[in-house]
Amino acid sequence: MKKLLVLLILSVMALMYTGCAQSSYTNTKPAYEDVVKPQRPDSLHFWVDGDWIRNKGAKDSVCTEGYWTLPIKGRTFQAGHWKTTRRGAHWVAGRWVGHVI
């Protein structure tokens, strides 16, 4: 009984993972959206563009709002970008890279 339960849980997790992976690819990248940035809080802040998220119901991508942020010491921000693979294009979200000192 215990083995059956574990097998069932693993099967459900595999189906969920497969469903998410397939829905994140698209054949057409969305058009660039011109963004109006709010006023910069001060000279220390920098702008981070919004990320594209998949709208599963409409089967398209929607851009989230960008924001002003302070840098993280010892790291740099790598902007998000579209990556094209043989399965289609998918959005690679922006992230902080580098080692904190």
Side-chain angles (χ1 to χ4, degrees):
M1 183 69 172
K2 195 173 190 180
K3 287 182 183 180
L4 182 61
L5 182 60
V6 170
L7 184 60
L8 179 65
I9 291 171
L10 290 175
S11 298
V12 169
M13 289 174 57
L15 287 172
M16 289 174 55
Y17 175 76
T18 303
C20 292
Q22 290 173 347
S23 65
S24 64
Y25 287 87
T26 181
N27 292 328
T28 57
K29 298 175 193 172
Y32 174 77
E33 293 183 7
D34 195 18
V35 177
V36 177
K37 299 177 189 175
Q39 184 176 352
R40 188 177 190 173
D42 58 46
S43 63
L44 299 176
H45 285 76
F46 72 96
W47 181 255
V48 173
D49 286 325
D51 281 320
W52 289 93
I53 57 171
R54 189 79 172 147
N55 180 347
K56 294 176 187 174
K59 296 186 179 177
D60 63 358
S61 297
V62 178
C63 190
T64 60
E65 291 186 18
Y67 57 93
W68 292 104
T69 189
L70 291 168
I72 297 175
K73 186 176 180 178
R75 294 189 175 207
T76 55
F77 188 79
Q78 182 179 27
H81 61 279
W82 285 97
K83 183 174 182 177
T84 303
T85 68
R86 60 185 174 87
R87 293 178 64 189
H90 72 276
W91 180 253
V92 178
R95 63 190 181 108
W96 291 97
V97 294
H99 300 287
V100 177
I101 299 172

